Amino acid sequence: MPSYTVTVATGSQWFAGTDDYIYLSLVGSAGCSEKHLLDKPFYNDFERGAVDSYNVVVDDELGDIQLIRIEKRKYWLHDDWYLKYITLKTPCGDYIEFPCYRWISGESEIVLRDGRAKLACDDQIHILKQHRRKELETRQKEYRWMEWNPGFPLSIDAKCHKDLPRDIQFDSEKGVDFVLNYSKAMENLFINRFMHMFQSSWSDFADFEKIFLRISNTISEQVMNHWQEDLMFGYQFLNGCNPVLIQRCVKLPENLPVTTEMVECSLERQLTLEQEVELGNIFIVDFKLLDGIDVNKTDPCTLQFLAAPICLLYKNLANKIVPIAIQLNQVPGDENPIFLPSDAKSDWLLAKIWVRSCDFHIHQTITHLLRTHLVSEVFGIALYRQLPAVHPIFKLLVAHVRFTVAINTKAREQLICKYGLFDKARGMDNTEDIPYYFYRDDGLLVWEAIRAFTAEVVDIYYESDQVVEGDQELQDFVKDVYMYGMRGKKASGFPESIKTKEKLSEYLTVVIFTASAQHAAVNFGQYDWYSWIPNAPPTMRAPPPKVKGVVTIEQIVDMLPDRGRSCWHLGAVWALSQFQDNELFLGMYPEEHFIETPVKEAMARFRKKLDTIVSVIAERNNKKKLPYYYLSPDRIPNSVAI
C-alpha cells in the first residue's frame, strides 16, 4: 500500500506547541485518504520548536496530492498550536512543501495547498478554485473594516487585542503592553521619583538633566548640548524624527509678511530675500494643519496650548540650513509678530521651542501614526481580505504587515483611547544643492533596492501587463485599500486599480517601504531627538507670545511640561525607540512562504544590495558627531510592530 512520510514543524514561539489530537487527510487527483492520527507511542508530539515525522499508509493510490487537511481535536484542555509547515514525501520519492505559518485554535481544521505561488488564472482544477474562494470567504468574515475615528483610514473591527484573529495577534501580549513597557522605561531611566509630580515646574533648563540619561557620544547628548543653536534647529528638519515637512520655498506666502530688511543680517550672499528665493536658497515649514485644532483636555488641571507656525529657513554659504524667520500663527497682525535671530535671545529661543513642539505634534499624529501605522494597517487588512495564501503578492507582503494590526489595536486600546515618499515637488531632491539630507539619500538607496526586488518578483509571476490587469484578486486588494482604507479619496494618491507591471512594482514598493524604512526613519530616533525635553516639548502650558521683549528664561521654563508629564513623555519615547525581541529586519524572510528557486534567488540578491547599503551608510557615518543610521537596513524592521 502507498506510504507517505509526513514531516510536521511546530513554531518556536512561546506556547506554540499542543497536546491536542492532530489528524491529517490527503486529497489527491485520484481520491482522498482516511484521516490519520499523527501520534508516536511514548512520545510528546508537537512540542514547541519540534520537527516530527510520521509514516502515513493509505489504502489506494491518490494521484497527485492537491491539498492536505489538518484537524485539531481537544485532548484535555484547549490550547492553540502554531504550525509552521508540513513536508510530504510521496511513494515515488518526491517532496512536496506545504507552508502554513498559522495558529490553529480550539477544535478546528485548516486545508493547505502546496507552496507554489499561483495566480487565480493558473488554477484550472475545480477543487483548487473552490479552496481559493472558501479561504477568502472565511477571511472576509474575520477581517472586517471599522471606522475608528471620522476622517481616518478605516481599521480592523476589534475593540481590543484579544478580539483580533489569532493569526495577527502578538505571540505574547506582555511584550506589547504599553503600560508595562512604560514601567520598564521608568526603571531603566531612573525617573520613578518624578512620575507623579504634575503641575510641578522645573527650575531651569539644567534641571531637566535630573531625568536625562547622559550617555557619552550619543545623538541625545549632542542634542542636549546644542539644542539652542540655529544649526541644530535646522538640521532636525533634514535628519531628525520628522524629515518630511521641509520644502523649498518657491514663493513667499502672503500670510508671512517678511521683508529683506527683517532678515538681512541672516542672508550671506548680499542678495534680497526675493533673489534668494529665486536661487532656491529659501526653505519653508508650514504647520497650517494645526490651525484651529482644539487642544488636548485630558488633564483638567493643566491648560495646554497649540500654535500653527510658519518657519522660514535659509541655506547659508556652508550649505547648512538655519532658521531666519518664525511667525507663530497663520494670520499676520500686530499680535502675531515675526520672530527673528536678531531679536532678544529669549524671544528667538521661545519661537524656536514653539516650532519644535508643533513639529512634535505633526510628527506623532501625521508622519508617524497616520502615514506609517494606519496606512500599513490598511494594507494588512486588505491583504488578508482579498489575497489567498497561495497568491504571490500575499506571500511577498505578509512579512511586511506582521503584527501591524496588533500594535495599532493595542495603541487604540491603551494609548489613544501622496504616493511618492520622496516627492520631487518638495524641491528637496538635488543632492549637490542640499548635501546633508541623509534621510533622502539613504531612503532613496533603500527605495531602489526594494523596487528592484519587487520588479523581479512581478516578472516571475506576471508575463505581461494584461495578466496584471486581469488578476481580479489583485485588483480587489488594490480597490479595498482605496475604497475602505483611503475612504475613496483621490487626494490620497492611491489608485483604484493597477494595469501594468511597472505600476504594480511601484505599488508594492510603496507598501514595503512604508511598513519598513519609512516607519524606521520616523520611529526609532525618538529617544535620540525627544529625550531632551526642551528640544521637543510634547505640550506647552502657556499661549504663544503676542509681543516681543517681555518673556524671560524663567517664564519659558514654566511653559514647558511639568515634571510628571516630562517623565511620562520620556518613558514613552524610550519604549517606542526599542526594537522588539527577535526583531526581523529588512530582507529577512524566515517564514518560507515562497518555495520556488527564482524567488529565493531574488531574495538573496535583495539581501546583498541591502548589505552594500549598510556598508555605505556605515562608512559615511564614521567619525560623524551626528551619525544618521535610521535607514541602515540592519536597523529597519520588516514591519510596523512597535
Side-chain angles (χ1 to χ4, degrees), residues 280-525:
N281 295 325
I282 303 298
F283 298 82
I284 191 168
V285 180
D286 191 344
F287 295 90
K288 57 188 175 184
L289 275 176
L290 295 176
D291 192 30
I293 297 293
D294 289 335
V295 296
N296 194 333
K297 296 182 177 66
T298 55
D299 181 1
C301 298
T302 302
L303 289 176
Q304 301 181 72
F305 298 88
L306 274 176
I310 305 172
C311 180
L312 213 61
L313 301 111
Y314 176 63
K315 187 186 72 172
N316 63 21
L317 291 174
N319 283 330
K320 301 295 178 65
I321 302 294
V322 293
I324 59 173
I326 294 171
Q327 180 178 284
L328 292 180
N329 282 299
Q330 293 287 307
V331 180
D334 294 339
E335 293 188 341
N336 188 21
I338 296 176
F339 292 90
L340 308 165
S342 56
D343 290 339
K345 178 182 177 181
S346 55
D347 284 335
W348 182 234
L349 179 61
L350 179 58
K352 290 191 294 181
I353 288 174
W354 266 107
V355 171
R356 294 293 306 133
S357 180
C358 293
D359 189 64
F360 172 86
H361 290 295
I362 291 291
H363 165 252
Q364 295 292 14
T365 56
I366 306 298
T367 309
H368 184 202
L369 173 63
L370 175 61
R371 292 182 177 166
T372 63
H373 276 260
L374 299 185
V375 169
S376 292
E377 179 175 358
V378 164
F379 296 142
I381 299 170
L383 183 77
Y384 279 97
R385 284 174 51 82
Q386 303 297 350
L387 296 179
V390 71
H391 198 288
I393 303 304
F394 180 90
K395 291 174 178 284
L396 175 65
L397 295 184
V398 67
H400 300 286
V401 298
R402 177 177 178 259
F403 297 152
T404 298
V405 180
I407 194 68
N408 289 355
T409 303
K410 291 292 287 186
R412 286 189 286 267
E413 181 183 347
Q414 292 185 328
L415 284 184
I416 42 180
C417 324
K418 181 164 168 177
Y419 206 73
L421 296 167
F422 299 97
D423 189 350
K424 293 182 185 294
R426 289 175 54 224
M428 302 298 294
D429 58 304
N430 191 316
T431 56
E432 294 182 4
D433 196 29
I434 312 168
Y436 302 107
Y437 198 8
F438 305 128
Y439 161 77
R440 171 205 59 204
D441 300 340
D442 299 352
L444 286 172
L445 290 175
V446 175
W447 174 278
E448 179 53 32
I450 297 172
R451 190 209 59 77
F453 172 51
T454 61
E456 284 196 73
V457 176
V458 168
D459 281 341
I460 292 169
Y461 293 103
Y462 293 90
E463 293 182 354
S464 65
D465 293 343
Q466 289 72 28
V467 178
V468 171
E469 189 173 7
D471 183 353
Q472 191 57 51
E473 290 170 342
L474 170 67
Q475 301 303 332
D476 289 343
F477 164 66
V478 173
K479 189 173 182 179
D480 232 31
V481 169
Y482 178 76
M483 291 301 299
Y484 296 101
M486 304 305 163
R487 314 296 290 268
K489 296 184 182 297
K490 291 185 177 179
S492 69
F494 283 87
E496 293 183 69
S497 62
I498 292 178
K499 298 182 179 181
T500 68
K501 292 170 62 175
E502 181 182 1
K503 287 297 182 183
L504 175 56
S505 174
E506 182 181 355
Y507 191 93
L508 297 174
T509 304
V510 169
V511 175
I512 296 173
F513 188 93
T514 300
S516 57
Q518 183 64 14
H519 179 256
V522 303
N523 180 75
F524 292 103

Side-chain angles (χ1 to χ4, degrees), residues 151-165:
F152 278 84
L154 295 188
S155 60
I156 190 81
D157 185 4
K159 293 181 179 179
C160 57
H161 181 263
K162 65 180 178 61
D163 293 340
L164 293 172

